[in-house]
Amino acid sequence: METEKKDILRGGQFLVKETNCEDVFTPEDFSEEQQMMRDSVIEFNDRKIIANRERFENKDYAFTEECMREAGEMGFLSVAVPEEYGGMGMGFVSTMLVCDYISSGTGSFSTAFGAHTGIGTMPITLYGTEEQKQKYVPKLASGEWFGAYCLTEPGAGSDANSGKTTAKLSDDGKHYLINGQKMWISNAGFCNMFIVFARIEDDKYITGFIVENNPENGITLGEEEHKLGIRASSTRQVFFNDTKVPVENMLSERGNGFKIAMNALNVGRIKLAAACLDSQRRITTTGVQYANERKQFKTPISEFGAIKSKIAEMATNAYVGESASYRAAKNIEDRIAIRLAEGNSHQEAELKGVEEYAIECSILKVAVSEDVQNCADEGIQIFGGMGFSEDTPMEAAWRDARIARIYEGTNEINRMLSVGMLVKKAMKGHVDLLGPAMAVKDELMGIPSFDIPDYSELFTEEKDMIAKLKKVFLMVAGAAVQKYGQDLEEHQQLMMAASNILIEIYMAESAILRTEKNAKRFGEDKQKEQIAMAKLYLFNAVETVKKNGMEGIISFSEGDEQKMMLMGLKRFTKYTNFPNVVDLRNTIAEKVKAENKYCF
Ligand SMILES: Cc1cc2nc3c(=O)[nH]c(=O)nc-3n(C[C@H](O)[C@H](O)[C@H](O)COP(=O)(O)OP(=O)(O)OC[C@H]3O[C@@H](n4cnc5c(N)ncnc54)[C@H](O)[C@@H]3O)c2cc1C
C-alpha cells in the first residue's frame, strides 16, 4: 500500500523529526474528485448561503434548517459517513475540504453543519453498536434527521466531566431515566436526536446516550439564546425530566462518556480549523476588492503601505492555515488507512487515527480560530467606517468568528492540552523528547560553530530556523518539565508560553514544506508570493517564539541556568540573513491586489 511506504510522522513527532517536503499533502494535491466536490460546495455556498446572508443575520432559524436539508440532499452531510450507513465514505481530507468550503458564508450555517456532522453524528459512527448505526446514521447522513450534542451544563463547561445530569436505571432494567439541564446546545431547536452525557449513580465518568427528541418524553427547550454572532444558529438550553431512554441506546459502555466526548472533540477541533479557512479567503478577497475601489487622497487605499501590510498578513495567515490543516488531515487519513490495512475495524481505525494527532488538532483549532478573528478585524479596518456597518459583510464576519475561540474546548484549554498531551506522550515513550532535549542541553554547553552556513538554496536558512525553534521548545519545555515534573500543569502561564511556541513551529513548518514542495514541482518563479508568505510567517513566528521563550525562561529559572538558556534563545532565534519584511509584504499584497482576490 502506498501509505505504508511513506514515512508518516506519529502525532507530535513533528517536533523532533524532520519532515521531507515530498511527504506533506498540500491543497495543490487535491484529486480531480476532490476538486469537483469543492466546486459543488462553493456553488451551494454562493447560491444558498451567501446570497441569503441577511436572513441569517435576522435570526431566521427556519432558513438555517432549510439550508441544512438542502445540504443533506446534495450529499454534503454524508461525506464522512461510511457507505454501509448511507454515506459517501470519503477520506478525511475530503471531509475537511467540504467543511472548509461550506463554512464561509455565515457562522450560523457553519455551526449547524459542524454540530450535526461532527459532534451530532460522529459519536454514533465511532462508538455506536451495529444496531444503533443502522437505525440512526443513514437518517443523519441524508439530512432526514438532525443531531445535537448535549455535554455542557450551567455548572460544567470546560470541566466537562463534572456535569450533574443523571441517568438512573429503571426497576425493570429496560431503560434509563435522564434528568438534568444542558446549556448552549447547537441545533437544539430543530434536531431530532441528542447525544446526551449523564452520570449513572456515583460513577467517576459520565456515560453517553442517544436520546430521540420527543417533547412527550420529558424534553423541553429553553428560548433561543441571543448571541453576539452566529445569530441564526439555534442555541438553546435542553431540560430532561424523567426522560426515558432504552438501555440499548447507551453509547459504548457505562462510564465511557468522557472518552467519547473528548474523542468527538478531537475531530471537531481540526474540522473547526477547516471551517475557519474559507472565511479568511473570502474576507481577504472582500477586503482587497474594497481597497482597490475605495479612494482617499485621490489614491486607491490599496496603494497605501499600511493597507498593503494588512492584505499581505491576512493572505499569509490564510495560506499558512491551509498548509497546516491539510497536512494534518492527510496524516490522519494515512494513519486510518494503515490501521484498516492492519485489520482494524473502520470505527477503531478512525478513532485511533484521529486520536494519534490530537496534539495537532488542538494546535490547529487555536491557531486558525485566532487567525480568522484577526483577519475579520483587519477586514473591518480596511473598510474603515463602513466596516462597522451592518450593511457590509465584515461586521458579521467579525462577530461570527468570535465563537471559534470558545467552543470545541476554549483556546486556553486547547493550548494547555497541546503541551500537556505532548509531555504525556514523551513520558509514555511515544515521542522521544528527552533525547533531543538532552542534545540541546549539550549543544548549549559546547562551543557554537562559527562556520557561515551555505544558505543559497531555497529555504535552507528557513528550515534551519525551524530546527532551531524546535530547540527553543525543547530547551524551555524540557527545563520546565525537569523542574516541575508532573506539576507542570499547575504552572499554566508556562504551559501557555510553551504552547505558543509549539503552535508557531507547526504552522510555520507546514507553510515552508508546502511551498518547498510546490516550488520544486511548479518552479520557484511560479511560487514567488507563496515563498514570500512562508518567509513572512516564519519571521513573525520567530518573534513570537522569542517573546514566549523569554517569558518562560525568566519566570522559572535563575542564575547560571537562566543565563545559559537566554543565550540559547538568542542563538536559536538568530537569522544569518534577515528577510526584508516590507518587501515580502509588498510582493504578497501586489499579487492579491492585481488578482483582486485571495489567489493561492
Ligand atoms: C454558541 C455556542 C454554541 C455551543 N454549542 C455547544 C453544543 O452544541 N454542545 C455543547 O455541549 N456545548 C456547546 N457549547 C458550550 C461550549 O463548548 C462551552 O461554552 C465551552 O466549552 C466553555 O465552557 P463555559 O462556557 O462553561 O466556560 P468556562 O469553562 O466557565 O470558562 C470560562 C473561562 O475560563 C477558562 N478556563 C476554564 N477552565 C480553565 C482551566 N482549567 N484552566 C484555565 N482556564 C480555564 C476558559 O478558557 C474561559 O476563558 C456552545 C457554546 C456556545 C457559546
Side-chain angles (χ1 to χ4, degrees):
M1 223 177 143
E2 194 210 342
T3 46
E4 279 174 309
K5 279 188 249 138
K6 274 199 289 178
D7 183 17
I8 303 170
L9 285 184
R10 310 292 307 233
Q13 266 186 350
F14 72 90
L15 190 68
V16 284
K17 286 207 168 171
E18 223 179 289
T19 302
N20 187 333
C21 74
E22 307 299 337
D23 291 337
V24 293
F25 180 85
T26 79
E28 292 72 23
D29 295 313
F30 287 145
S31 66
E32 230 166 85
E33 188 193 18
Q34 285 168 334
Q35 289 175 31
M36 276 163 57
M37 177 58 101
R38 177 178 61 187
D39 292 346
S40 103
V41 174
I42 291 174
E43 184 278 326
F44 169 76
N45 192 23
D46 280 338
R47 172 176 52 79
K48 192 78 190 178
I49 312 290
I50 295 186
N52 293 296
R53 207 174 56 82
E54 73 288 351
R55 292 184 70 174
F56 293 102
E57 294 318 307
N58 291 332
K59 302 189 181 175
D60 189 342
Y61 302 102
F63 186 63
T64 304
E65 185 182 345
E66 180 188 317
C67 293
M68 285 290 289
R69 228 165 273 288
E70 187 169 332
E73 281 158 20
M74 295 188 72
F76 300 145
L77 304 181
S78 74
V79 276
V81 173
E83 279 164 301
E84 57 265 44
Y85 308 110
M88 291 193 200
M90 292 179 95
F92 202 82
V93 171
S94 301
T95 69
M96 285 279 286
L97 182 93
V98 171
C99 204
D100 174 350
Y101 286 91
I102 214 162
S103 297
S104 63
T106 162
S108 299
F109 178 76
S110 166
T111 300
F113 179 85
H116 170 75
T117 56
I119 49 185
T121 303
M122 293 290 281
I124 309 182
T125 55
L126 293 180
Y127 287 96
T129 60
E130 191 51 37
E131 293 71 33
Q132 289 169 345
K133 286 192 279 189
Q134 294 287 357
K135 184 169 179 191
Y136 295 108
V137 178
K139 286 181 182 164
L140 293 166
S142 66
E144 184 189 339
W145 272 32
F146 294 115
Y149 177 86
C150 296
L151 177 64
T152 307
E153 299 182 12
S158 301
D159 187 5
N161 191 45
S162 68
K164 292 200 163 51
T165 299
T166 57
K168 191 165 180 278
L169 191 62
S170 61
D171 291 341
D172 61 6
K174 288 196 173 144
H175 55 257
Y176 283 93
L177 283 180
I178 297 200
N179 280 285
Q181 176 184 3
K182 296 289 177 177
M183 191 171 186
W184 299 119
I185 306 309
S186 302
N187 293 355
F190 65 95
C191 73
N192 309 81
M193 184 221 81
F194 302 99
I195 305 289
V196 181
F197 296 92
R199 194 175 311 276
I200 302 174
E201 296 171 353
D202 291 331
D203 286 1
K204 185 171 177 201
Y205 292 111
I206 48 182
T207 299
F209 296 91
I210 303 170
V211 182
E212 294 184 16
N213 186 5
N214 173 6
E216 282 162 21
N217 187 16
I219 299 175
T220 46
L221 301 180
E223 290 297 310
E224 286 290 351
E225 302 286 348
H226 296 287
K227 309 185 294 291
L228 171 74
I230 58 167
R231 288 188 170 163
S233 155
S234 171
T235 321
R236 294 185 175 202
Q237 293 203 44
V238 184
F239 301 88
F240 298 97
N241 187 7
D242 281 343
T243 302
K244 264 183 165 182
V245 182
V247 284
E248 59 271 20
N249 274 25
M250 182 188 283
L251 259 180
S252 180
E253 289 160 22
R254 176 172 171 174
N256 232 2
F258 189 56
K259 198 165 145 198
I260 299 174
M262 293 303 111
N263 274 323
L265 286 177
N266 283 335
V267 185
R269 282 166 189 159
I270 186 167
K271 292 207 176 151
L272 179 59
C276 294
L277 291 174
D278 199 45
S279 301
Q280 292 181 73
R281 295 186 201 104
R282 289 201 184 245
I283 293 167
T284 307
T285 293
T286 311
V288 76
Q289 287 173 352
Y290 184 82
N292 277 338
E293 287 279 314
R294 171 74 175 167
K295 284 191 178 153
Q296 284 295 280
F297 305 95
K298 301 195 177 79
T299 314
I301 60 167
S302 62
E303 294 291 312
F304 298 132
I307 300 295
K308 280 194 214 173
S309 157
K310 293 185 196 306
I311 293 170
E313 297 281 355
M314 288 157 80
T316 298
N317 288 334
Y319 176 78
V320 174
E322 287 172 358
S323 311
S325 300
Y326 286 103
R327 173 191 184 188
K330 186 67 163 86
N331 284 152
I332 291 174
E333 186 170 294
D334 288 347
R335 183 65 55 196
I336 292 171
I338 288 172
R339 284 192 164 268
L340 284 172
E342 284 170 358
N344 277 189
S345 68
H346 182 276
Q347 247 165 322
E348 187 75 1
E350 181 124 356
L351 260 175
K352 295 281 176 208
V354 179
E355 203 180 351
E356 172 76 37
Y357 297 96
I359 295 169
E360 286 79 357
C361 292
S362 282
I363 288 177
L364 284 164
K365 193 274 176 181
V366 173
V368 186
S369 65
E370 293 180 4
D371 285 342
V372 72
Q373 176 91 70
N374 293 334
C375 184
D377 197 65
E378 291 291 46
I380 289 187
Q381 200 65 17
I382 291 174
F383 270 65
M386 284 310 288
F388 206 64
S389 163
E390 284 185 8
D391 295 338
T392 68
M394 290 303 181
E395 177 268 345
W398 185 82
R399 286 188 289 97
D400 282 3
R402 189 61 185 83
I403 186 61
R405 288 163 56 196
I406 298 171
Y407 57 23
E408 306 281 352
T410 65
N411 282 14
E412 291 73 27
I413 296 290
N414 272 293
R415 276 194 160 85
M416 285 180 296
L417 274 176
S418 64
V419 175
M421 289 188 289
L422 189 60
V423 171
K424 279 201 188 100
K425 273 198 162 194
M427 285 177 173
K428 282 188 188 161
H430 293 173
V431 177
D432 176 23
L433 291 189
L434 192 66
M438 295 308 284
V440 175
K441 218 170 169 181
D442 290 346
E443 190 180 337
L444 281 178
M445 307 278 219
I447 301 163
S449 158
F450 291 103
D451 292 347
I452 297 180
D454 175 9
Y455 284 143
S456 52
E457 237 182 81
L458 178 67
F459 287 143
T460 38
E461 171 147 24
E462 287 72 19
K463 288 202 296 189
D464 220 17
M465 181 62 91
I466 291 286
K468 290 193 291 184
L469 298 185
K470 292 179 182 178
K471 290 179 186 173
V472 174
F473 181 88
L474 291 166
M475 177 180 76
V476 177
V481 171
Q482 218 167 27
K483 178 155 183 179
Y484 299 115
Q486 301 278 11
D487 293 339
L488 180 63
E489 292 195 356
E490 308 296 318
H491 299 266
Q492 288 199 348
Q493 296 188 48
L494 292 180
M495 300 275 286
M496 305 286 274
S499 85
N500 288 338
I501 299 174
L502 189 67
I503 289 168
E504 292 306 333
I505 292 170
Y506 190 69
M507 302 305 285
E509 182 182 65
S510 302
I512 289 168
L513 291 171
R514 170 186 180 182
T515 316
E516 187 189 11
K517 182 176 184 183
N518 288 337
K520 278 191 181 161
R521 56 182 162 172
F522 307 134
E524 277 183 38
D525 50 333
K526 295 224 165 63
Q527 292 286 301
K528 204 168 80 184
E529 294 81 19
Q530 287 87 339
I531 291 170
M533 288 193 283
K535 289 186 175 185
L536 176 63
Y537 191 90
L538 179 64
F539 175 80
N540 292 335
V542 171
E543 290 306 302
T544 306
V545 171
K546 268 190 209 167
K547 178 180 176 291
N548 285 278
M550 168 81 81
E551 223 179 274
I553 293 167
I554 60 178
S555 303
F556 77 83
S557 68
E558 47 195 22
D560 285 346
E561 190 196 20
Q562 185 182 89
K563 256 191 223 148
M564 191 178 72
M565 280 201 278
L566 286 175
M567 201 183 65
L569 181 66
K570 201 167 165 193
R571 200 199 294 177
F572 296 145
T573 52
K574 187 168 161 270
Y575 271 101
T576 300
N577 308 291
F578 279 110
N580 179 334
V581 287
V582 171
D583 276 357
L584 293 178
R585 289 201 198 103
N586 285 342
T587 302
I588 302 157
E590 288 306 335
K591 176 74 176 172
V592 180
K593 275 171 55 188
E595 299 281 334
N596 209 22
K597 62 176 190 207
Y598 177 85
C599 52
F600 306 108

